[in-house]
Amino acid sequence: MTVIPEATLSVLPRADGSARYAHAGYTVTASVNGPIEAQRRDEHAFEAHVDVVVRPAAGTGGTRERHLESIIESSLTQLILVKNFPRQLIQIVLQIETTPDNDYVNTKLVQASLNFPIVPSLLQAAVLALISAAVPMRATATASVVAVVSQEGTKRLVVDPSPRDLEQAQSVHVLAFTSHDELLLAESEGDFTVKEWDGVYEAALKICCRPTSTKAGIDVMLDDSEDAAGSDMRQFLRSTVEAKVAADLYWK
Amino acid sequence: MPLDTSAYSLALLRVDGRRWNELRRIHAQIRTQAAADGSSYLEIGHTKVMCVVTGPSEPGSRRGAIGSTGGGVGGGAVGGGAAQSKGAEVAVSIVIAGFSSVDRKRTARGDKRILELQSTISNALAASLHTHLFPHSAINISLHVLSQDGSLLAALINAATLACVDAGIPMTDYVAACTAGSTSTYAANDEAADPLLDLNHQEEQELPGLTVATLGGSDRVAVLVCESRVQVSRLEGMLAVGVDGCKQVREILDRVVREKGRRMVQEGTVEKGVGLNDMDVD
Amino acid sequence: MPREAEPSLNEKQFIVQALGEKLRLDGREFDQYRPLELTFGDQYGVANVTLGKTRVLAKVSAEVTVPYVDRPLDGVFTIATELGPMASPAFEVGRPTETEVLLARLLEKTVRRSGALDTESLCLVAGQKCWSVRVDVHVLAHDGNLIDASCFAVVAALRHFRKPDTSIASGQLTVYTPAEREPVPLSWLHSPFCVTWSFFGDDGETALLDATWAEEQVRVSSCTVSLNRHGEICQIAKLGGVPVEAVALLQCTAVALTKAKEFSTFLDGKLAEDAKRRNKGGFMAELSSENDR
């Protein structure tokens, strides 16, 4: 299981843009094609249609995948400059490759329950693939999932919960922020108080929106050692793209 | 019902009394439907199929349908309707009647087996028909299966060939098909196994077999489909018998066409053409 | 529906003419495969296969269901193939193309109908409970020869897969979780592999193995032979196209057999390697000694 997120850009040779993202046991490959010709029924006169397809690793997609698609689609429509491409289609396929196993329960193929912990992986893979496809966006996004687990009367927050944590969790929250620190997506399930949600918000904000140090090198190192709990998603996104650009343009 | 293969080695006769290299009775007619551009009816034993050809005509609104192939492009192409193809599109549709086999089974609309048959026949004929003479047009072949008793694909290919001849679509040669099998089971590697020609339903269920279609009297194989487990060493014998059977089938198909042509000239439906001088009309 | 850009006339001519001079675009021999790579995931039953730029992911899953009424003693075994827009924008979701149908049929005939998996071993309680094994084939990138790559991925994933252990005591079926008992492999009988030949030229006189996407667009016909290393043909499919000499087809089958044997050895090696990796520090040996007590 990967605790530190891993990502590779442009993994598929034939798609316009693609990315592979692995984090907390989830692996997602995303491909982006677009802007391409939209079908008549999807055509929108003033903006591009963003089509998201989530494909599960095993079994055919059902209502759960459709719901995930609608969450991702509405988030991405906010990021992509859709007004720039009227009557066009931007097609995003998110292929789930692996999900973490729970060794204590036998999995069923068709699960009706929601799967919030996968949303950050899906969103992150989609954003990376969009960058790789050079689709104009007004901002990038980072996402995180936080669970509230009550243990012996005390409640604690668990970032990137494992399947075991989720079983015991009282509530699960997924939050996404744009690179302008705006809240892009907030979905919750379970029972929780407003105060708890505020705590979750703070925790997610810390992971997703840590101020980026523009000076690379020593400052970043200091930042990391200061707070070991949770990774810095924005820095991760930046370094992944920087590494890809550096590798592509090494001859310059 | 298991087929008693031990009886074969005693008298060298198969369940229906044939020897290893005998075809079943093939009966065929062409121009059975007056309204169609081309039509045929074909029986191989108890397998009975009917074929109607329309075209070459203007293509319908359907684009990139299953079983349609732009002229001469053998598979691999994604989409691509008649609109941009340089040759006529050969679209095949197969309807298997509910009463055609013993157990009445309803076939689902998107049955992959039937889609595969359609695309096989379409690809096989597209390579033999001179589709490049009819750009931006479609040849629709509809096949109806009335009764099934083995060698279905072979019967369908033969019927489609006859109907295309009747429709007057220029083609290189007949695409004639038949099946071949072997008396060995896949596990036994016995060298004494005999190849068999033209399998019926019972033999098809029990023994390994393949369907071959060749172009005219040559040894060139247009279709080769094997769906059962068989030793590699058996293949050569089966293929040789199959190709030989195709030559026999071609002769039968040719006789049907010539006979019909002779009758039509005699009845005065068509003028005796210059090319028909060598034909025995009287 | 967006269409795939076809190779231009010049490109087509170039490929064909080069083949006439015994040259392939990527400099391979006519009977040489692109580098084949196979990686297994952390989970059981996930195989990632790359063949040149073609990438296929196969995942096996199993669950307990009710057997079909007409086959009470058999388990359920399905292979699901769906070509999504990830492979090419020309593939639409939920609308199978000809390529997809033929791929699904070939995998079905090669792996399922040839009896590679013993479906009777999947039966738990006759007529009431059985395992349903499902293989999902995901095509991530399509650069030709999908059939061979997919077939290899399916066979590799199935042989790598472990299903939860079960026991029946006094009519009560218990399915053990991976934490309780080590999962068990499927009852596997033989490993078939597909080898696809592509034919070029007016009479199909040039035969190539492992055609790329560009070569597939130019080929005049193709023939897929499925064999296992015991020299048994599981399936042959030459579905139309330009006719090819019967003798040439027999030669192709002979070469295909050697390729199938190579695949078989390659897969055995990879599986052994993976088993070793999972068994670091004799962890399994330790487990089994505990169970003995």
Side-chain angles (χ1 to χ4, degrees):
Chain A
M1 200 185 273
T2 43
V3 183
I4 310 156
E6 280 173 33
T8 342
L9 283 180
S10 305
V11 284
L12 308 175
R14 291 175 61 97
D16 288 346
S18 59
R20 189 165 189 265
Y21 179 83
H23 181 44
Y26 293 99
T27 312
V28 177
T29 298
S31 82
V32 171
N33 281 307
I36 52 175
E37 178 193 337
Q39 279 197 20
R40 202 59 181 269
R41 60 186 150 92
D42 294 334
E43 205 176 283
H44 194 293
F46 302 110
E47 55 180 52
H49 176 71
V50 178
D51 182 28
V52 179
V53 181
V54 174
R55 291 160 64 92
T60 44
T63 40
R64 180 166 71 152
E65 278 69 31
R66 298 292 93 74
H67 185 222
L68 288 174
E69 282 169 12
S70 72
I71 291 176
I72 305 286
E73 188 180 315
S74 52
S75 308
L76 291 179
T77 313
Q78 296 302 316
L79 295 177
I80 300 168
L81 295 171
V82 282
K83 291 270 196 300
N84 284 14
F85 307 103
R87 300 179 308 281
Q88 306 274 344
L89 173 71
I90 292 168
Q91 192 175 45
I92 301 160
V93 187
L94 299 163
Q95 173 71 57
I96 302 167
E97 287 188 22
T98 51
T99 49
D101 271 336
N102 188 350
D103 273 356
Y104 297 88
V105 184
N106 277 312
T107 44
K108 286 283 283 176
L109 206 59
V110 183
Q111 284 165 317
S113 66
L114 265 176
N115 193 357
F116 274 152
I118 202 168
V119 174
S121 300
L122 291 174
L123 192 70
Q124 224 70 95
V127 168
L128 285 168
L130 283 167
I131 293 173
S132 145
V135 173
M137 292 192 285
R138 71 169 54 85
T140 58
T142 46
S144 178
V145 62
V146 181
V148 181
V149 181
S150 77
Q151 239 171 8
E152 292 137 20
T154 56
K155 288 185 179 168
R156 66 191 174 91
L157 300 181
V158 182
V159 181
D160 298 327
S162 69
R164 288 280 278 165
D165 292 328
L166 285 173
E167 259 178 20
Q168 297 156 352
Q170 278 200 327
S171 60
V172 184
H173 311 263
V174 52
L175 290 97
F177 298 88
T178 67
S179 44
H180 306 312
D181 297 354
E182 296 154 338
L183 182 63
L184 177 70
L185 165 76
E187 296 268 344
S188 307
E189 80 176 338
D191 54 13
F192 54 91
T193 61
V194 174
K195 206 171 155 226
E196 273 170 22
W197 193 86
D198 285 340
V200 167
Y201 177 79
E202 288 304 321
L205 194 68
K206 208 147 101 193
I207 295 165
C208 297
C209 303
R210 199 170 308 172
T212 326
S213 101
T214 39
K215 285 172 281 174
I218 191 89
D219 297 35
V220 183
M221 296 294 282
L222 281 174
D223 247 23
D224 275 354
S225 56
E226 186 184 303
D227 183 10
S231 39
D232 180 356
M233 288 310 297
R234 191 174 288 173
Q235 178 59 33
F236 166 74
L237 202 69
R238 192 185 174 86
S239 60
T240 308
V241 179
E242 270 174 0
K244 174 68 182 163
V245 172
D248 283 353
L249 302 180
Y250 77 101
W251 46 271
K252 269 198 173 169
Chain B
M1 185 169 47
L3 184 72
D4 195 0
T5 35
S6 60
Y8 176 79
S9 58
L10 290 175
L12 296 182
L13 289 176
R14 288 149 70 176
V15 273
D16 50 6
R18 281 183 291 154
R19 294 196 187 281
W20 65 273
N21 59 350
E22 283 176 344
L23 286 170
R24 288 174 286 173
R25 188 185 81 111
I26 296 183
H27 167 75
Q29 284 173 291
I30 58 170
R31 195 153 293 189
T32 49
Q33 256 77 17
D37 291 333
S39 54
S40 69
Y41 171 79
L42 182 107
E43 289 179 11
I44 301 183
H46 290 299
T47 301
K48 297 168 187 176
V49 295
M50 215 175 87
C51 180
V52 173
V53 171
T54 6
S57 57
E58 206 170 307
S61 54
R62 241 159 28 95
R63 280 178 58 209
I66 296 266
S68 58
T69 311
V73 183
V78 173
Q84 90 247 329
S85 71
K86 284 198 296 175
E89 168 193 23
V90 182
V92 178
S93 76
I94 299 175
V95 177
I96 297 187
F99 51 81
S100 63
S101 58
V102 182
D103 46 340
R104 200 184 171 92
K105 234 188 267 173
R106 274 193 72 84
T107 43
R109 212 174 64 86
D111 191 338
K112 291 205 169 94
R113 198 176 67 92
I114 293 175
L115 294 178
E116 189 192 28
L117 286 177
Q118 290 177 351
S119 111
T120 305
I121 296 168
S122 161
N123 285 327
L125 283 173
S128 160
L129 296 172
H130 290 184
T131 48
H132 61 273
L133 299 175
F134 311 101
H136 310 292
S137 41
I139 300 166
N140 287 303
I141 302 176
S142 7
L143 286 150
H144 296 261
V145 180
L146 306 177
S147 169
Q148 293 186 65
D149 185 28
S151 309
L152 180 65
L153 176 60
L156 290 171
I157 292 175
N158 292 335
T161 305
L162 279 182
C164 285
V165 170
D166 184 28
I169 304 166
M171 57 202 291
T172 322
D173 205 332
Y174 292 90
V175 183
C178 79
T179 53
S182 178
T183 51
S184 79
T185 55
Y186 71 85
N189 198 8
D190 53 336
E191 294 305 316
D194 261 348
L196 301 174
L197 181 63
D198 191 15
L199 305 182
N200 62 25
H201 178 69
Q202 211 178 2
E203 289 168 328
E204 225 168 44
Q205 295 291 307
E206 299 292 329
L207 302 172
L210 45 82
T211 303
V212 202
T214 58
L215 186 70
S218 70
D219 279 347
R220 293 174 57 206
V221 178
V223 176
L224 177 63
V225 179
C226 170
E227 303 195 333
S228 43
R229 250 167 102 177
V230 61
Q231 278 290 330
V232 150
S233 50
R234 296 273 85 81
L235 181 69
E236 190 175 344
M238 280 159 63
L239 194 58
V241 169
V243 168
D244 194 54
C246 289
K247 285 177 188 163
Q248 293 181 43
V249 172
R250 186 201 176 269
E251 291 310 310
I252 295 170
L253 299 184
D254 194 43
R255 219 178 300 146
V256 170
V257 172
R258 283 178 191 277
E259 174 65 19
K260 181 71 184 174
R262 193 180 63 81
R263 290 257 305 278
M264 281 162 67
V265 172
Q266 248 175 7
E267 288 163 3
T269 6
V270 283
E271 294 254 319
K272 185 179 170 185
V274 273
L276 297 173
N277 277 332
D278 55 333
M279 229 168 88
D280 183 21
V281 195
D282 307 309
Chain C
M1 182 176 69
R3 271 200 312 269
E4 189 77 53
E6 266 183 54
S8 66
L9 278 180
N10 283 345
E11 267 178 283
K12 286 182 181 174
Q13 199 110 50
F14 182 71
I15 293 173
V16 172
Q17 206 172 333
L19 286 177
E21 293 168 22
K22 303 259 174 281
L23 284 172
R24 279 175 94 160
L25 241 56
D26 43 11
R28 275 183 292 156
E29 299 292 318
F30 279 11
D31 59 351
Q32 190 186 354
Y33 268 79
R34 289 170 284 177
L36 176 70
E37 276 171 46
L38 167 69
T39 44
F40 294 111
D42 286 337
Q43 288 171 319
Y44 282 119
V46 181
N48 216 325
V49 170
T50 53
L51 187 61
K53 283 180 183 171
T54 299
R55 267 188 66 188
V56 180
L57 174 81
K59 183 180 165 70
V60 187
S61 49
E63 60 178 348
V64 178
T65 49
V66 184
Y68 292 126
V69 187
D70 51 338
R71 296 185 154 270
L73 295 176
D74 278 348
V76 181
F77 175 39
T78 42
I79 303 174
T81 357
E82 206 183 314
L83 293 173
M86 188 175 266
S88 149
F91 296 120
E92 255 179 275
V93 183
R95 210 208 258 175
T97 55
E98 189 176 340
T99 323
E100 184 179 332
V101 171
L102 296 184
L103 175 63
R105 272 290 290 170
L106 268 170
L107 290 179
E108 158 120 5
K109 284 193 280 189
T110 305
V111 183
R112 210 169 82 100
R113 280 185 50 138
S114 73
L117 177 67
D118 179 16
T119 47
E120 280 178 26
S121 71
L122 299 176
C123 179
L124 295 168
V125 184
Q128 286 172 26
K129 281 201 166 67
C130 70
W131 281 109
S132 160
V133 175
R134 180 189 166 98
V135 194
D136 285 270
V137 182
H138 303 293
V139 177
L140 303 181
H142 178 13
D143 188 35
N145 207 7
L146 267 188
I147 293 169
D148 297 9
S150 307
C151 180
F152 188 76
V154 168
V155 171
L158 279 165
R159 285 187 57 183
H160 187 253
F161 183 65
R162 302 281 185 277
K163 69 178 192 303
D165 202 2
T166 52
S167 73
I168 296 174
S170 62
Q172 185 76 31
L173 175 75
T174 322
V175 180
Y176 295 101
T177 61
E180 289 165 341
R181 274 199 198 178
E182 190 63 21
V184 290
L186 298 167
S187 160
W188 191 250
L189 300 178
H190 70 111
S191 302
F193 298 98
C194 290
V195 178
T196 303
W197 287 92
S198 300
F199 299 100
F200 295 83
D202 291 336
D203 299 325
E205 65 274 357
T206 313
L208 293 192
L209 272 181
D210 189 28
T212 61
W213 185 82
E215 285 166 343
E216 277 185 4
Q217 300 305 301
V218 184
R219 72 180 175 194
V220 292
S221 93
S222 72
C223 177
T224 304
V225 188
S226 310
L227 302 118
N228 59 23
R229 68 189 165 88
H230 312 297
E232 283 165 359
I233 294 172
C234 301
Q235 173 276 127
I236 301 177
K238 184 189 180 302
L239 308 174
V242 164
V244 176
E245 285 292 335
V247 181
L249 281 177
L250 285 174
Q251 280 167 357
C252 288
T253 316
V255 178
L257 178 59
T258 62
K259 292 289 167 192
K261 282 180 180 163
E262 279 173 35
F263 281 142
S264 193
T265 336
F266 178 71
L267 178 56
D268 287 345
K270 283 283 179 185
L271 283 168
E273 208 175 276
D274 186 69
K276 214 185 223 172
R277 184 175 65 89
R278 282 169 190 276
N279 196 11
K280 233 173 221 163
F283 176 63
M284 288 296 294
E286 197 180 301
L287 259 185
S288 62
S289 74
E290 261 181 19
N291 292 343
D292 281 346
R293 246 182 280 144

Short mmCIF file of all heavy atoms in Angstrom, two decimals, chain C residues 142-171:
data_model
loop_
_atom_site.label_atom_id
_atom_site.label_comp_id
_atom_site.label_asym_id
_atom_site.label_seq_id
_atom_site.Cartn_x
_atom_site.Cartn_y
_atom_site.Cartn_z
N HIS C 142 -4.36 0.77 -27.23
CA HIS C 142 -4.52 -0.14 -28.36
C HIS C 142 -3.50 0.23 -29.43
O HIS C 142 -3.65 1.23 -30.10
CB HIS C 142 -5.95 -0.01 -28.89
CG HIS C 142 -6.24 -0.85 -30.09
ND1 HIS C 142 -5.40 -1.85 -30.50
CD2 HIS C 142 -7.27 -0.85 -30.96
CE1 HIS C 142 -5.91 -2.42 -31.59
NE2 HIS C 142 -7.05 -1.82 -31.88
N ASP C 143 -2.45 -0.58 -29.53
CA ASP C 143 -1.53 -0.37 -30.65
C ASP C 143 -1.34 -1.69 -31.37
O ASP C 143 -0.22 -2.14 -31.59
CB ASP C 143 -0.20 0.19 -30.16
CG ASP C 143 0.68 0.60 -31.33
OD1 ASP C 143 0.13 1.08 -32.33
OD2 ASP C 143 1.90 0.42 -31.26
N GLY C 144 -2.44 -2.32 -31.72
CA GLY C 144 -2.38 -3.53 -32.51
C GLY C 144 -2.25 -4.79 -31.66
O GLY C 144 -1.83 -4.76 -30.51
N ASN C 145 -2.65 -5.91 -32.28
CA ASN C 145 -2.57 -7.23 -31.66
C ASN C 145 -3.20 -7.29 -30.28
O ASN C 145 -2.61 -7.80 -29.33
CB ASN C 145 -1.12 -7.69 -31.60
CG ASN C 145 -1.04 -9.20 -31.62
OD1 ASN C 145 -2.05 -9.86 -31.80
ND2 ASN C 145 0.14 -9.73 -31.44
N LEU C 146 -4.40 -6.76 -30.18
CA LEU C 146 -5.13 -6.81 -28.91
C LEU C 146 -5.39 -8.24 -28.49
O LEU C 146 -5.39 -8.56 -27.31
CB LEU C 146 -6.50 -6.13 -29.09
CG LEU C 146 -6.61 -4.67 -28.77
CD1 LEU C 146 -8.07 -4.28 -28.82
CD2 LEU C 146 -6.05 -4.42 -27.40
N ILE C 147 -5.66 -9.10 -29.49
CA ILE C 147 -6.09 -10.47 -29.19
C ILE C 147 -5.03 -11.22 -28.41
O ILE C 147 -5.30 -11.75 -27.33
CB ILE C 147 -6.45 -11.20 -30.50
CG1 ILE C 147 -7.69 -10.56 -31.12
CG2 ILE C 147 -6.66 -12.67 -30.26
CD1 ILE C 147 -7.98 -11.01 -32.53
N ASP C 148 -3.80 -11.23 -28.92
CA ASP C 148 -2.74 -11.99 -28.26
C ASP C 148 -2.48 -11.43 -26.87
O ASP C 148 -2.32 -12.18 -25.90
CB ASP C 148 -1.46 -11.95 -29.10
CG ASP C 148 -1.63 -12.62 -30.45
OD1 ASP C 148 -2.77 -12.95 -30.79
OD2 ASP C 148 -0.62 -12.81 -31.15
N ALA C 149 -2.43 -10.09 -26.77
CA ALA C 149 -2.13 -9.46 -25.49
C ALA C 149 -3.24 -9.75 -24.48
O ALA C 149 -2.96 -10.10 -23.33
CB ALA C 149 -1.95 -7.96 -25.67
N SER C 150 -4.51 -9.63 -24.91
CA SER C 150 -5.63 -9.86 -24.00
C SER C 150 -5.65 -11.31 -23.54
O SER C 150 -5.87 -11.59 -22.35
CB SER C 150 -6.96 -9.56 -24.68
OG SER C 150 -6.93 -8.30 -25.24
N CYS C 151 -5.44 -12.24 -24.47
CA CYS C 151 -5.48 -13.65 -24.12
C CYS C 151 -4.39 -13.96 -23.10
O CYS C 151 -4.64 -14.64 -22.10
CB CYS C 151 -5.30 -14.50 -25.37
SG CYS C 151 -5.33 -16.24 -25.03
N PHE C 152 -3.21 -13.41 -23.33
CA PHE C 152 -2.10 -13.65 -22.40
C PHE C 152 -2.45 -13.08 -21.02
O PHE C 152 -2.21 -13.72 -20.00
CB PHE C 152 -0.82 -13.01 -22.94
CG PHE C 152 0.40 -13.35 -22.16
CD1 PHE C 152 1.00 -14.59 -22.29
CD2 PHE C 152 0.95 -12.45 -21.27
CE1 PHE C 152 2.12 -14.92 -21.55
CE2 PHE C 152 2.08 -12.76 -20.53
CZ PHE C 152 2.66 -14.01 -20.67
N ALA C 153 -3.03 -11.89 -21.01
CA ALA C 153 -3.38 -11.24 -19.74
C ALA C 153 -4.43 -12.07 -18.99
O ALA C 153 -4.33 -12.25 -17.78
CB ALA C 153 -3.89 -9.83 -19.99
N VAL C 154 -5.43 -12.57 -19.72
CA VAL C 154 -6.49 -13.35 -19.09
C VAL C 154 -5.92 -14.62 -18.46
O VAL C 154 -6.20 -14.95 -17.30
CB VAL C 154 -7.59 -13.70 -20.13
CG1 VAL C 154 -8.53 -14.74 -19.57
CG2 VAL C 154 -8.35 -12.46 -20.52
N VAL C 155 -5.10 -15.34 -19.23
CA VAL C 155 -4.53 -16.59 -18.72
C VAL C 155 -3.63 -16.32 -17.53
O VAL C 155 -3.69 -17.01 -16.50
CB VAL C 155 -3.77 -17.33 -19.85
CG1 VAL C 155 -3.00 -18.51 -19.30
CG2 VAL C 155 -4.75 -17.80 -20.92
N ALA C 156 -2.80 -15.26 -17.63
CA ALA C 156 -1.89 -14.93 -16.54
C ALA C 156 -2.68 -14.57 -15.28
O ALA C 156 -2.37 -15.04 -14.19
CB ALA C 156 -0.99 -13.77 -16.95
N ALA C 157 -3.72 -13.75 -15.44
CA ALA C 157 -4.50 -13.31 -14.28
C ALA C 157 -5.21 -14.50 -13.62
O ALA C 157 -5.25 -14.61 -12.40
CB ALA C 157 -5.51 -12.25 -14.70
N LEU C 158 -5.75 -15.39 -14.43
CA LEU C 158 -6.47 -16.54 -13.88
C LEU C 158 -5.52 -17.48 -13.13
O LEU C 158 -5.87 -18.04 -12.09
CB LEU C 158 -7.18 -17.31 -14.99
CG LEU C 158 -8.52 -16.73 -15.43
CD1 LEU C 158 -8.95 -17.33 -16.75
CD2 LEU C 158 -9.58 -16.98 -14.38
N ARG C 159 -4.32 -17.65 -13.68
CA ARG C 159 -3.38 -18.55 -13.01
C ARG C 159 -2.82 -17.92 -11.75
O ARG C 159 -2.39 -18.62 -10.84
CB ARG C 159 -2.25 -18.94 -13.96
CG ARG C 159 -2.74 -19.95 -14.99
CD ARG C 159 -1.63 -20.49 -15.82
NE ARG C 159 -0.58 -21.12 -15.04
CZ ARG C 159 0.53 -21.61 -15.59
NH1 ARG C 159 0.68 -21.55 -16.89
NH2 ARG C 159 1.46 -22.15 -14.84
N HIS C 160 -2.81 -16.60 -11.70
CA HIS C 160 -2.29 -15.90 -10.52
C HIS C 160 -3.35 -15.79 -9.43
O HIS C 160 -3.03 -15.64 -8.25
CB HIS C 160 -1.83 -14.50 -10.96
CG HIS C 160 -1.12 -13.73 -9.91
ND1 HIS C 160 -1.71 -12.67 -9.28
CD2 HIS C 160 0.11 -13.87 -9.38
CE1 HIS C 160 -0.85 -12.19 -8.39
NE2 HIS C 160 0.26 -12.89 -8.43
N PHE C 161 -4.59 -15.89 -9.81
CA PHE C 161 -5.71 -15.63 -8.89
C PHE C 161 -5.79 -16.67 -7.77
O PHE C 161 -5.48 -17.84 -7.95
CB PHE C 161 -7.01 -15.61 -9.70
CG PHE C 161 -8.22 -15.27 -8.88
CD1 PHE C 161 -8.33 -14.03 -8.29
CD2 PHE C 161 -9.24 -16.19 -8.70
CE1 PHE C 161 -9.44 -13.71 -7.53
CE2 PHE C 161 -10.35 -15.88 -7.94
CZ PHE C 161 -10.45 -14.63 -7.36
N ARG C 162 -6.22 -16.20 -6.60
CA ARG C 162 -6.52 -17.11 -5.50
C ARG C 162 -7.93 -16.77 -5.03
O ARG C 162 -8.24 -15.60 -4.81
CB ARG C 162 -5.55 -16.88 -4.34
CG ARG C 162 -4.09 -17.07 -4.69
CD ARG C 162 -3.74 -18.54 -4.72
NE ARG C 162 -2.31 -18.75 -4.95
CZ ARG C 162 -1.73 -18.75 -6.16
NH1 ARG C 162 -2.45 -18.53 -7.23
NH2 ARG C 162 -0.44 -18.95 -6.27
N LYS C 163 -8.77 -17.81 -4.88
CA LYS C 163 -10.12 -17.55 -4.39
C LYS C 163 -10.18 -17.93 -2.90
O LYS C 163 -9.41 -18.77 -2.45
CB LYS C 163 -11.15 -18.31 -5.21
CG LYS C 163 -11.14 -19.82 -5.07
CD LYS C 163 -12.26 -20.40 -5.92
CE LYS C 163 -12.57 -21.85 -5.66
NZ LYS C 163 -11.55 -22.83 -5.79
N PRO C 164 -11.08 -17.31 -2.14
CA PRO C 164 -11.15 -17.61 -0.72
C PRO C 164 -11.41 -19.10 -0.48
O PRO C 164 -12.12 -19.76 -1.25
CB PRO C 164 -12.35 -16.78 -0.24
CG PRO C 164 -12.48 -15.68 -1.23
CD PRO C 164 -12.03 -16.25 -2.53
N ASP C 165 -10.81 -19.63 0.58
CA ASP C 165 -10.98 -21.04 0.91
C ASP C 165 -12.38 -21.24 1.51
O ASP C 165 -12.94 -20.35 2.12
CB ASP C 165 -9.90 -21.45 1.92
CG ASP C 165 -9.70 -22.95 1.90
OD1 ASP C 165 -10.36 -23.62 1.09
OD2 ASP C 165 -8.88 -23.45 2.69
N THR C 166 -12.92 -22.43 1.28
CA THR C 166 -14.25 -22.73 1.82
C THR C 166 -14.24 -24.08 2.50
O THR C 166 -13.35 -24.90 2.28
CB THR C 166 -15.31 -22.80 0.70
OG1 THR C 166 -14.83 -23.70 -0.30
CG2 THR C 166 -15.58 -21.45 0.10
N SER C 167 -15.22 -24.30 3.33
CA SER C 167 -15.40 -25.64 3.91
C SER C 167 -16.89 -25.86 4.12
O SER C 167 -17.66 -24.90 4.28
CB SER C 167 -14.65 -25.77 5.23
OG SER C 167 -15.34 -25.05 6.23
N ILE C 168 -17.30 -27.11 4.07
CA ILE C 168 -18.70 -27.44 4.33
C ILE C 168 -18.74 -28.38 5.53
O ILE C 168 -18.16 -29.47 5.50
CB ILE C 168 -19.36 -28.08 3.11
CG1 ILE C 168 -19.39 -27.09 1.96
CG2 ILE C 168 -20.78 -28.53 3.45
CD1 ILE C 168 -19.89 -27.64 0.67
N ALA C 169 -19.36 -27.93 6.59
CA ALA C 169 -19.51 -28.78 7.77
C ALA C 169 -20.99 -28.83 8.12
O ALA C 169 -21.61 -27.79 8.30
CB ALA C 169 -18.71 -28.22 8.94
N SER C 170 -21.56 -30.01 8.16
CA SER C 170 -22.97 -30.28 8.44
C SER C 170 -23.89 -29.35 7.66
O SER C 170 -24.74 -28.66 8.21
CB SER C 170 -23.26 -30.21 9.95
OG SER C 170 -23.00 -28.91 10.44
N GLY C 171 -23.65 -29.35 6.34
CA GLY C 171 -24.53 -28.58 5.46
C GLY C 171 -24.34 -27.09 5.51
O GLY C 171 -25.02 -26.34 4.81
#
